Amino acid sequence: MNSNYKFVVIGAGNLGTRMSIALDSVGHKALQNINRSEEKGKMLAEKLGAAFYHEVNIHKDADIVFIATNDDSIPGIISEISTFDGLIVHVSGSTPISVFESYVRNYGVFYPLQSFTADVEVDFKNIPLLIEASDPVNLAILNQTANSISENVFVMDSDTRLKCHLAAVIAANFSNHFIALGEAMLKEANLPKDIIHPLIDEMFLKIRKYGAYKAQTGPARRNDIVILEKHKEALKNKPGLQNLYTFVSDSIINSYRKPNSKDG
Amino acid sequence: MNSNYKFVVIGAGNLGTRMSIALDSVGHKALQNINRSEEKGKMLAEKLGAAFYHEVNIHKDADIVFIATNDDSIPGIISEISTFDGLIVHVSGSTPISVFESYVRNYGVFYPLQSFTADVEVDFKNIPLLIEASDPVNLAILNQTANSISENVFVMDSDTRLKCHLAAVIAANFSNHFIALGEAMLKEANLPKDIIHPLIDEMFLKIRKYGAYKAQTGPARRNDIVILEKHKEALKNKPGLQNLYTFVSDSIINSYRKPNSKDG
């Protein structure tokens, strides 16, 4: 069985670009990149030896079409390419597979649980790929494709994938925001932002070793009212941040007061 | 000049233990460990070839006494050892140096910006040490001591140290909590918690490279209302977590709406 597929990617954003390069690097053949903005799409197509198309006009030899646009555009694109008879997948964590229903026959989802940056190369080998398909034949194709670039493939329904995406947003995007808020406070006090990096490194070692729930430290974890009040007092001129401090500290306190419930 | 000091540590918790071992390892001499609970204090004293004391009774040859108890106990201990004439320091991020005033003459603060775990060894070399003293002579002693175990020493007043501690709590402890909430959601969906670790690794690489403010990704960063609503809907049976999701997402949206203000 030939496991190399001819593919088309719609979209030339960070994810579309990184995924195209990863698929190409293991022997799959990019036929087209289709993108609204010419600059990015042409550059990507050139890099892959593929054709650049401005219009959504799928090459008849394509085995798989990846829709790697923003979530809002997915339904419109599906209706535009509904005459294409091959496998069509989207790469969104939060869009259910049902978006394809009654438009096309062969479809699926191919979602990498990772955030992509234009100029940062990524090794897909470790990236979890969450896949789902309209039927076992298409699932087998996606499974083969996913396994060709990643060692971390999960077959997962839309509801579970949404939960996974939500967990990722809370764990990664929200964490990043609190580190950004910490860095902003340091900057305001004329301190270098890397003064907290050893602490964050240590936190990560502990999370890997014990899981984050057991690794929790700090005044809220100890329910240290004296320090919590000092911190709130220090934020008295920043009501937004003070509220956030209280809200998150209370969430930590509640998580450990009721060990069987981690809800908020 | 002899830069090796004879020291006493009051407290045998994680910080007292780790700091005693670090000071001992570079040639300072532990005279006593003083601790309420015998088990931990005796074990530590034995390891350091020091005496274990249950009562707060400082050896007359001591150069520096480190108060490494919880913050609440600091004032009581200071009044108990006020007849000791050497240098007395506490190791708290949130307790101002003024706690010593009118009790003792030679005092200071020696605060390691790190969280310590009993069974995890740490290399003090990279840990930022924030120091402050009653006068230049005592500051010189603390500076010498700090530099003997760390390459990352900052002289800092109590107000700035509190801000630094607060920034550390927000950046490290709060981040850890959101990773814990993400892990709990995965567990509930019967997914392995390490499925989000590649994403978190990538986040950290980006924070190191760009700083967290620029590294921010996710639906709130893009102000992607469709995904934000889907996530809130997915949390409808968990009102606490749903509120937290909304609160933090709004904070992210506001941070990028007003690029010059990162307040909440």
Side-chain angles (χ1 to χ4, degrees):
Chain A
M1 179 163 62
N2 181 4
S3 65
N4 284 340
Y5 295 109
K6 294 185 280 297
F7 68 95
V8 171
V9 171
I10 302 177
N14 299 336
L15 173 51
T17 300
R18 290 294 142 206
M19 220 173 63
S20 297
I21 292 170
L23 290 167
D24 171 76
S25 74
V26 296
H28 302 294
K29 172 70 193 138
L31 296 182
Q32 302 168 282
N33 182 266
I34 297 173
N35 199 43
R36 256 177 288 186
S37 131
E38 204 162 304
E39 195 189 350
K40 279 185 173 180
K42 262 197 175 160
M43 203 162 68
L44 177 58
E46 209 159 283
K47 187 166 179 159
L48 301 169
F52 169 73
Y53 273 62
H54 199 276
E55 315 78 38
V56 182
N57 189 358
I58 309 290
H59 195 296
K60 64 174 177 42
D61 293 343
D63 299 306
I64 314 176
V65 174
F66 293 90
I67 304 174
T69 62
N70 59 37
D71 289 17
D72 302 5
S73 310
I74 296 171
I77 288 171
I78 294 171
S79 73
E80 276 191 79
I81 59 175
S82 59
T83 55
F84 174 72
D85 203 39
L87 176 53
I88 305 174
V89 305
H90 73 62
V91 299
S92 157
S94 296
T95 305
I97 195 170
S98 59
V99 71
F100 291 103
E101 270 169 29
S102 81
Y103 289 98
V104 290
R105 234 177 17 173
N106 300 296
Y107 54 87
V109 178
F110 193 95
Y111 170 58
L113 187 65
Q114 183 59 281
S115 75
F116 295 87
T117 308
D119 58 342
V120 181
E121 277 199 43
V122 290
D123 184 357
F124 263 76
K125 193 158 57 75
N126 299 315
I127 296 178
L129 287 176
L130 319 186
I131 61 170
E132 186 180 11
S134 49
D135 58 83
V137 174
N138 286 313
L139 186 61
I141 294 172
L142 288 185
N143 205 16
Q144 208 171 40
T145 311
N147 277 289
S148 70
I149 57 172
S150 168
E151 293 174 356
N152 227 344
V153 178
F154 296 82
V155 177
M156 197 179 287
D157 65 37
S158 292
D159 193 43
T160 310
R161 187 174 60 252
L162 176 65
K163 283 177 189 164
C164 206
H165 183 223
L166 176 53
V169 165
I170 289 174
N173 301 152
F174 285 15
S175 292
N176 186 91
H177 179 56
F178 286 98
I179 295 170
L181 292 174
E183 288 182 354
M185 291 190 66
L186 293 171
K187 192 178 171 188
E188 207 182 282
N190 291 314
L191 295 166
K193 63 175 186 262
D194 60 7
I195 200 172
I196 53 174
H197 286 172
L199 181 65
I200 290 171
D201 285 347
E202 181 72 12
M203 172 183 98
F204 263 73
L205 287 176
K206 282 182 200 159
I207 289 174
R208 284 296 172 88
K209 196 166 174 183
Y210 306 108
Y213 187 76
K214 280 187 191 163
Q216 187 71 53
T217 59
R221 173 66 186 94
R222 300 190 305 271
N223 206 351
D224 187 329
I225 306 294
V226 175
I227 295 189
L228 291 170
E229 287 308 316
K230 277 182 193 164
H231 284 174
K232 286 176 202 170
E233 170 69 17
L235 293 171
K236 67 180 173 210
N237 294 323
K238 301 185 173 186
L241 201 49
Q242 193 188 46
N243 277 340
L244 195 58
Y245 184 90
T246 302
F247 214 88
V248 178
S249 293
D250 287 350
S251 172
I252 296 174
I253 293 167
N254 286 330
S255 286
Y256 294 87
R257 186 176 288 155
K258 304 170 287 179
N260 293 321
S261 158
K262 277 140 211 136
D263 176 20
Chain B
M1 180 162 62
N2 181 4
S3 65
N4 284 340
Y5 296 108
K6 295 186 279 297
F7 69 94
V8 171
V9 171
I10 303 176
N14 299 336
L15 173 51
T17 299
R18 289 295 143 204
M19 218 172 64
S20 297
I21 292 169
L23 290 167
D24 172 75
S25 75
V26 296
H28 303 294
K29 172 70 192 135
L31 297 181
Q32 303 168 284
N33 182 266
I34 298 172
N35 199 44
R36 255 177 290 186
S37 133
E38 204 162 304
E39 195 188 350
K40 279 185 173 178
K42 261 194 176 161
M43 204 163 68
L44 177 58
E46 209 160 281
K47 186 165 181 160
L48 301 170
F52 169 73
Y53 274 62
H54 199 277
E55 316 78 40
V56 181
N57 189 356
I58 308 291
H59 195 298
K60 65 173 176 45
D61 294 341
D63 299 306
I64 314 176
V65 174
F66 293 90
I67 304 175
T69 62
N70 59 38
D71 289 16
D72 303 3
S73 309
I74 295 171
I77 287 170
I78 294 172
S79 73
E80 275 191 82
I81 60 175
S82 59
T83 56
F84 174 72
D85 202 38
L87 175 53
I88 305 173
V89 303
H90 72 62
V91 300
S92 157
S94 296
T95 305
I97 194 169
S98 60
V99 70
F100 291 103
E101 270 170 29
S102 81
Y103 289 99
V104 291
R105 235 179 13 174
N106 300 297
Y107 53 87
V109 179
F110 193 94
Y111 170 58
L113 187 65
Q114 184 58 282
S115 75
F116 296 87
T117 309
D119 58 343
V120 180
E121 276 200 44
V122 289
D123 184 357
F124 262 76
K125 193 158 57 76
N126 299 314
I127 296 178
L129 287 176
L130 317 187
I131 62 169
E132 185 181 11
S134 49
D135 58 83
V137 174
N138 286 314
L139 186 61
I141 295 172
L142 288 186
N143 204 17
Q144 206 170 44
T145 311
N147 277 290
S148 70
I149 57 173
S150 168
E151 295 173 356
N152 226 343
V153 178
F154 296 81
V155 177
M156 198 179 286
D157 65 36
S158 292
D159 193 44
T160 310
R161 187 174 62 254
L162 176 64
K163 284 178 188 163
C164 204
H165 182 224
L166 176 52
V169 166
I170 290 174
N173 300 152
F174 284 15
S175 292
N176 186 92
H177 179 55
F178 286 97
I179 295 171
L181 292 174
E183 288 182 355
M185 291 191 66
L186 292 171
K187 192 178 171 187
E188 209 182 281
N190 291 313
L191 295 166
K193 64 174 184 264
D194 59 8
I195 199 173
I196 52 173
H197 286 172
L199 182 64
I200 289 170
D201 286 347
E202 180 71 12
M203 172 182 99
F204 263 75
L205 287 176
K206 281 182 201 158
I207 288 174
R208 284 299 173 88
K209 197 166 173 184
Y210 305 108
Y213 187 76
K214 280 188 192 163
Q216 187 70 52
T217 58
R221 174 65 185 95
R222 300 190 305 272
N223 206 350
D224 186 329
I225 307 293
V226 175
I227 295 188
L228 291 169
E229 287 309 315
K230 276 182 192 165
H231 285 173
K232 286 176 201 170
E233 171 69 17
L235 293 170
K236 67 179 174 208
N237 295 323
K238 302 184 172 186
L241 201 49
Q242 194 189 45
N243 278 339
L244 196 57
Y245 183 90
T246 303
F247 214 88
V248 178
S249 293
D250 288 349
S251 172
I252 296 173
I253 292 168
N254 285 330
S255 286
Y256 293 87
R257 185 175 290 153
K258 302 172 289 180
N260 293 321
S261 159
K262 277 138 208 136
D263 176 22

